[in-house]
Amino acid sequence: MNGPSSNATILVVDDQPANLQILAEILQNQYDVRIAINGEKALQIAQQNNKPDLILLDVKMPGLDGYQVLAELRRDEKTCHIPVIFVTAQHDVDNETRALAAGAVDFISKPINPQVVCARVNTHLTLRQREIAFQQLNAELENRIKERTRQVETLNTALQERATQAETANAAKSLFLGNMSHELRTPLMAVIGFTDLLQRQIDEPAVLHKLSRIRKAAGNLSSTINQILDFTQIESGNTAQVTIDFNLAAMLHKINDTIEELAVAKTLAYAYDVDSAIPANLNGDRVKLEQVLLNLASNAVKFTRHGAVSLRASLIEATGEEVKIRFEIQDTGIGIDQSLLEHIFVPFEQVDNTLTRQYGGLGLGLSINRKLIEMMGGEMGVESESGKGSTFWILITLKRSQTQPAVASRIPPLQSLQTNKARPRILLVDDDFINQELLKFLLNEAGLQCDSANDGEEAVGMVKNTDYDLVLMDIQMPIMDGLAATRAIRLLPERRLTPVIGVSANAFAEDKDRCFEAGMNAFLAKPVAPEVLYSELAKWLIKNDR
Ligand code: ADP
C-alpha cells in the first residue's frame, strides 16, 4: 500500500493548547499541520479554499463540541467528504459507537500515543486518497462512456443516413436499369423480329448469311441485357421462386433442340441421357432450372472445338414426395485450370482475358446460375482439367408433381397456328409504330387477322365493339397504359375471359407481377423472339378455339 503524500494538510482541533502542541509535533514532520482552538475556528478553516485532507477533532470542547462540528461539516457539501478522527479521553464503547454513527472515520483515545496517531492518520489519508483516485477514475470512465455513447450515436446516425442513401441509390439504380432495359429492348425487338421475317422471305445464301450474323449479334445483346437484369435482381434480393408442375422430358427436349443445333453447327457430337427412374412429372421453378441448364450447355458448346458435349440427368434419391437429381453437362473442350475453378463463379470474372476476347461474354452467367440453384436449395459445382474438358454439375431436390402437366405440342407453334382453321382475330396495342408494324407482319405470317390500337384508351373502345380472340398489350403507352386498359377490359362483362398477353420492355419480376395483378393472362418480355410469340399465341388460341 502506498503511503499518503507528505503534502497532505491536517487540521488539529482541541481546546487544550498542550494537546494541540503534542499532536502538531507528532505530525508536522510529515504533513502540513493547521490548528484550531475551538469548533467555530475549525469550521472556518475547513471551509477555506485550501481544505484540510483530514481533521483530528477533540470531542469535548466549550462552545461547539466535536459532534456539533462534525454535524456542521457533514451538512456542507464542500466539507462533507473530509475524513474526521475523533480524539477523546472518553473511550468507552458507547462513545466510540456514537462517534462512528455520527460519521467519524475513526477514534483515537487520550492520552495520545504518537505511533497510534501516525498509523491512523496515515491509514485514513491513504484511504481518502484512494477514494479520491477512485472517484476521479469513475468520473473519467463516465466521461469516456459518455464520449463513446456520443460517438456510437453519431456513427448510428451516419449509418442510418448511409442506409437511406443506399436505399435511394438502389431505387434509382433499379429505375435506371428498368428504363435502360426498356430503351434497349424496344429497338432490339424490331431488329430481331425483322431479321427473322427477312430470313424467311429471302433465299439468297450470301444475304441469309449476313442476316444470320445480325440475328446472332442481336440474340447475344438480348442475353447480355437479360444477364445484367438478372444479376441486379438477384443482388437486390428481388428474385422470387415460381414453382410449377412440369414435365422433365419436355423441358430437356426443349434444351436439346437448342443445344443440338449449336453442337451440329460446330460439328460436335451431342448426347443426352435421362435416367428412366426419374419420375416424369415434377414440381419446381422450371423456368430458372431450364435457364441454368441451357446456359451451362451453351457454355459447353462455346468452349469446345472438337469432341463431344453431353447432358445427363441421374436419380440420386427418391422419397414419396421428393426426388434428388444430379444434372451433368460434360464437354471435351478447353477445360479450366484447377487454380481458377472457383473464380469462374465470381461475377464478371473470366478465366483469362484472351479467352474473353475469343469467346465473348460478360462473366456473369455462372455466378447467376449458381445463385439461382442455391435459391432453389440446390448445389452447383465443376470438375475440370485444363485442355481436357469440364463437367458442370447440379444437385437439386424437386417435388413430385401431383397433377399431370400438359406436355407442349411437338408441332412447331407457327405451323400449328397456320393450320388453325378459325383465323383468330387479334388486337395489337402498341404506341411504337415500328413494333406495331413488326408484330403485324408476324401475326399475318401466322395466318392471324390483326387490328391495331395506338394506346390503351383506343384499345378499350375497340374491345367493347369487337369480340377479339386475343389482345397483345404493350404496357408503357401514352394516354392510357396497358395495365389500366386491361383493368378496364376486365370490367366489361362480355370480355372478362378475353386472353390478354402483356408485351413489355420492362422485364423486371415486379413488372410481370403488375401485369398479372391487372388481369393479364400471360407476359412476354421484349425483345420477343418470333418463335416465343408464336408458342404463347398457340397456347391461348388453340386452347381457346372459340
Ligand atoms: P459468360 O457469361 O461470359 O460466358 P460465365 O460466367 O458463363 O461467363 O463463365 C465464366 C468463365 O468461365 C468463362 O469466361 C470461361 O472462361 C469459363 N467457362 C465457363 N464454362 C466453361 C466450359 N464449359 N469450359 C471451359 N471454360 C468455361
Side-chain angles (χ1 to χ4, degrees), residues 223 226-227 250-262 270 286-302 309-311 327-329 365-366 369 372-373 380 392 394 531-532:
S223 69
N226 287 339
Q227 276 192 351
M251 182 189 89
L252 292 175
H253 269 302
K254 221 172 130 194
I255 296 172
N256 284 336
D257 286 349
T258 314
I259 300 304
E260 205 163 13
E261 205 180 310
L262 295 175
Y270 176 68
R286 181 192 60 84
V287 175
K288 293 198 187 83
L289 182 61
E290 185 179 320
Q291 175 185 341
V292 174
L293 288 171
L294 197 61
N295 204 289
L296 294 179
S298 329
N299 268 355
V301 175
K302 179 169 157 186
V309 168
S310 68
L311 168 61
F327 292 97
E328 277 183 2
I329 293 96
L366 290 176
N369 291 341
L372 290 179
I373 293 295
M380 177 175 159
F392 282 84
I394 293 168
E531 62 276 12
V532 176

Side-chain angles (χ1 to χ4, degrees), residues 221-294:
L221 188 53
S222 170
S223 69
T224 302
I225 294 169
N226 287 339
Q227 276 192 351
I228 292 174
L229 283 179
D230 275 354
F231 179 70
T232 46
Q233 289 288 83
I234 291 173
E235 287 287 285
S236 59
N238 279 340
T239 310
Q241 281 229 61
V242 185
T243 54
I244 51 164
D245 287 341
F246 68 98
N247 181 282
L248 183 72
M251 182 189 89
L252 292 175
H253 269 302
K254 221 172 130 194
I255 296 172
N256 284 336
D257 286 349
T258 314
I259 300 304
E260 205 163 13
E261 205 180 310
L262 295 175
V264 168
K266 286 183 81 174
T267 59
L268 297 174
Y270 176 68
Y272 107 107
D273 175 29
V274 181
D275 190 339
S276 58
I278 301 177
N281 299 321
L282 299 167
N283 178 285
D285 197 332
R286 181 192 60 84
V287 175
K288 293 198 187 83
L289 182 61
E290 185 179 320
Q291 175 185 341
V292 174
L293 288 171
L294 197 61

